[in-house]
Amino acid sequence: MDFQRVGTGAHTVLVLHGWFGSSRSWQALLPHLDRERFGYVFLDYRGYGERRGETGQYSIAEAAADVLTAADQLGAERFSLLGHSMGGSVMQRVYADAPQRIRALVGVSPVPAGGVPFDEQSWQLFSSAADSPGSRRAIIDFTTGNRLTGTWLDAMVRHSMEHSDRDAFAAYLPAWARTDFHTEIQGADVPIQVIAGQHDPALGPETMRATFGAWYPNLELQTFPDAGHYAMDESPVTLATSVERFLGRH
């Protein structure tokens, strides 16, 4: 398996993308990372990025098992995890499966281990996104507070369409939205930081307090005032600073 690596530091950080992303969706963050202290490895799920065409169950459990396989291939016995959105669910599943291997967790607008509730109208919109670029654009616009340039929205949609297989994209929606394993991580003493965007209406600070805050006694929650759901694009310098300040302590 080929990996995109940034940095040669002793602290290995496996980076997990969101539903609309890929291993290449962190590009705005890369110039700001400390490549001497940390070694970042950007992974793709089955059906995404470098793994387009690779079939599977497209489940959170399978994605987590693939992360552990990647860690073995990298020779990383212990490592930290940085997960965005759906990647936040995957990183918690990795921790639940192999807690002894995890140094720390960082979630960026992460999906809670209890999943995400939807009303019927929202579920129809999200379900239509597999076949509709317009629905993808509407979701990205909504989750960033309807405040960002259409040029960026269009680029995000293009990236999503070009870096994910349609069937994989469709299958991962119920995977991240309806997978509930929070009883397996409740009370875990792992060091964990969650970064929430003030302009994220679904996975914002209040949702993070009600979920991660209730389950992880060591949670450090930080709210970004100038971000919605995509802090790596909206506030990349601030994100790099916050993540590395936290990881540097663990």
Side-chain angles (χ1 to χ4, degrees), residues 19 45-48 57-60 62-63 66 86 167-177:
W19 190 41
Y45 312 125
R46 299 184 191 210
Y48 278 77
Q57 299 174 354
Y58 307 127
S59 67
I60 297 301
E62 179 185 73
D66 285 351
M86 178 172 78
D167 289 350
F169 182 90
Y172 281 120
L173 172 59
W176 62 258

Side-chain angles (χ1 to χ4, degrees), residues 46-136:
R46 299 184 191 210
Y48 278 77
E50 299 300 318
R51 302 180 70 187
R52 289 193 66 182
E54 187 173 340
T55 59
Q57 299 174 354
Y58 307 127
S59 67
I60 297 301
E62 179 185 73
D66 285 351
V67 170
L68 288 169
T69 297
D72 291 341
Q73 293 175 349
L74 291 160
E77 179 56 35
R78 295 193 76 237
F79 51 89
S80 293
L81 290 162
L82 170 60
H84 172 244
S85 195
M86 178 172 78
S89 178
V90 176
M91 77 174 186
Q92 294 175 85
R93 184 70 256 175
V94 175
Y95 173 76
D97 292 341
Q100 73 283 358
R101 300 187 66 175
I102 307 305
R103 293 177 63 160
L105 301 175
V106 179
V108 181
S109 301
V111 168
V116 178
F118 279 81
D119 60 38
E120 184 57 35
Q121 183 177 1
S122 298
W123 185 256
Q124 289 178 1
L125 173 64
F126 277 67
S127 297
S128 70
D131 296 305
S132 170
S135 292
R136 298 191 193 205

Side-chain angles (χ1 to χ4, degrees), residues 25-234:
S25 58
W26 301 82
Q27 296 303 306
L29 188 67
L30 304 191
H32 315 299
L33 298 176
D34 186 336
R35 301 176 183 222
E36 294 183 359
R37 295 177 67 198
F38 301 97
Y40 293 91
V41 183
F42 296 82
L43 304 180
D44 285 305
Y45 312 125
R46 299 184 191 210
Y48 278 77
E50 299 300 318
R51 302 180 70 187
R52 289 193 66 182
E54 187 173 340
T55 59
Q57 299 174 354
Y58 307 127
S59 67
I60 297 301
E62 179 185 73
D66 285 351
V67 170
L68 288 169
T69 297
D72 291 341
Q73 293 175 349
L74 291 160
E77 179 56 35
R78 295 193 76 237
F79 51 89
S80 293
L81 290 162
L82 170 60
H84 172 244
S85 195
M86 178 172 78
S89 178
V90 176
M91 77 174 186
Q92 294 175 85
R93 184 70 256 175
V94 175
Y95 173 76
D97 292 341
Q100 73 283 358
R101 300 187 66 175
I102 307 305
R103 293 177 63 160
L105 301 175
V106 179
V108 181
S109 301
V111 168
V116 178
F118 279 81
D119 60 38
E120 184 57 35
Q121 183 177 1
S122 298
W123 185 256
Q124 289 178 1
L125 173 64
F126 277 67
S127 297
S128 70
D131 296 305
S132 170
S135 292
R136 298 191 193 205
R137 192 182 196 275
I139 292 166
I140 296 167
D141 192 20
F142 172 71
T143 56
T144 51
N146 305 112
R147 55 188 244 289
L148 302 178
T149 171
T151 304
W152 178 79
L153 295 174
D154 291 340
M156 292 289 284
V157 172
R158 276 197 307 275
H159 184 98
S160 175
M161 299 293 292
E162 294 171 359
H163 290 84
S164 63
D165 294 335
R166 184 263 173 212
D167 289 350
F169 182 90
Y172 281 120
L173 172 59
W176 62 258
R178 292 178 169 169
T179 297
D180 182 355
F181 58 96
H182 79 275
T183 57
E184 296 182 56
I185 52 84
Q186 196 162 10
D189 61 359
V190 63
I192 180 169
Q193 178 190 46
V194 164
I195 292 162
Q198 189 67 51
H199 299 280
D200 187 340
L203 294 175
E206 291 183 6
T207 299
M208 296 300 106
R209 290 189 193 97
T211 54
F212 287 85
W215 302 332
Y216 293 97
N218 294 326
L219 176 70
E220 295 185 24
L221 175 62
Q222 185 170 5
T223 300
F224 280 15
D226 296 323
H229 192 65
Y230 296 89
M232 70 284 287
D233 280 289
E234 299 172 80

